[in-house]
Amino acid sequence: MAKITCPKCGEQIETDGTITVCPKCGVDLREVIGSLDVDYEERMKTIARDESVTTHEFIVRTRGLKKTYVMGEIEVPALRDIDLDVRRGEYLSIMGPSGSGKSTLFNMIGGLDKPTAGRCFIEEVDMAQLDAFELAWLRCRKIGYIFQTFNLIPVMTAIENVTLPMIFAGMGTDEMMERGRELLDLVGLGDRLDHKPYELSGGQQQRVAVARALANSPAIVLADEPTGNLDLHTGKEIIDLLKELNRASGVTVISATHDLKMIDVSDRVVHIRDGEIERIEQRHEIELEVGGMGA
Amino acid sequence: MLDVKGLAKAAGGGGKEEIKIQRQITLPWSEAVRISVRNVTIRLGRTMITASGIVLGIAFLSSVWTSSVIQDGLQRAQLQQERELVEATARGQGESENANIENFTGISEEEQQAESSKRVWLVVMSLLVCGVGITNAMLMSVTERFREIGTMKCLGALDSFIVRLFLIEAVALGILGSVVGTILGHIAMLGIFSLRERSLSVAAKMDWGQMLVYLLLCILVGTVLSLVSAIAPAVRAARMRPAAALQTEI
């Protein structure tokens, strides 16, 4: 472990070489770490070899990801050659107009669909090599999903929706109910445990969905247009909630969106157009009042 | 709060790790039954529509069997009456006419055979109608829940969990529908025959032991039909990729 100082905001950071962005302002610290004689490349190689340490820098990596939909006789390319690295603990937004392929990318990263070509790694594990059991395990334990249309199970109450993934994970009933209550409390719905989805507003339903996504303490929260069906104000609340979770617990948030409010909280914004990465913006590159964000 | 422990090298995992992973994803039967039964009871209106296919099919089957048992009972009663009459006459007229008794004994063998083949045909038809109806109903009830299935798979459900949930639901529906159908068909036939004979003695004349066997058979047939016809749609739904299941709009 070594103590370094962020060149931009002056934050003191303790790092073992795996943290490469400043948690406060998002500046790339690799140069600083390198100057501390921590040979970054060597360090990563050791980590990659050591199977007990899985805190790799990149939680998600895609290499040459392609997806082509066949509609009748026409082949429609949705993704062409996506190379994307997502750092652990990052809040990443995938932006682009509708039809640009961001939802397709979301599906690939989440293991909900298979790519036509290319590879997608979650914590250095190639998803193409996982069988049905392992894939289900990954979806259950490692990834939390949030959808535009909330996708709560309509016949279940809020707490039952939240505890469903815990049933799959084999948690005991008492522990499950307690954690379900805690999570709903966390998203501000502690008094709505036994409400059915249709008895809740859109924003409240999305909060239940956020709680459900966190049920099994995932490493990644994947959100597909989480604010798409919400009004401006409720949308902002959900974004703030996601950011707060990201900041407090270090969970990686990857969000496909075309909501500009999302830019404010994102560490990086990946712009996608016609199935290709147009450009990637770091937060400090974005012309916004970033100064107030760290507070 | 959130643990950052890694995926335990799932890709390179040997046999032992695979077993561990299998155990880590579970849907206990008790939970599955609870979820399915709740699904049935909460969507009661929708369930009733699905179940009505089973109810009608099984009601038809039940009515065919009931009517056959009732007819047998009536026939037997008539035969006995005739025999008593003949015996009475015979006693009155002396033993010379004993030879003629056989001529009075009801329906000929050929007619009986025709009657029974007609009955078998009716039963087969009613089963077909019932089977098609149930398959259709099950297909619909699975299709309208594709999104739900997709969501469950996102939450870590295995294909087998989905199939299990739907099959439990099908059995519950099957039992519910066929009990109602059996009773409806049975009562309807009893009523019709009572009206036709203008007496309530129809019930007294039939073989209740045999009737009970037939009624239980009706319930069994309805349940098995419901289960069998739910397998295909449930398996199809479970095998869908979550992305595709989530995209379906109804």
Side-chain angles (χ1 to χ4, degrees), chain A residues 241-258:
Chain A
L241 178 62
L242 284 175
K243 182 61 191 173
E244 179 61 23
L245 291 168
N246 167 249
R247 204 187 51 75
S249 61
V251 63
T252 310
V253 177
I254 302 174
S255 171
T257 185
H258 53 231

Side-chain angles (χ1 to χ4, degrees), chain B residues 21 26 36 74 76 110 142 152 156 164 173 182 204 221 235:
Chain B
I21 285 165
T26 57
S36 310
L74 288 177
R76 221 178 11 251
E110 265 174 42
V142 174
M152 285 218 178
R164 195 185 299 174
L173 263 183
T182 303
V221 165
V235 168

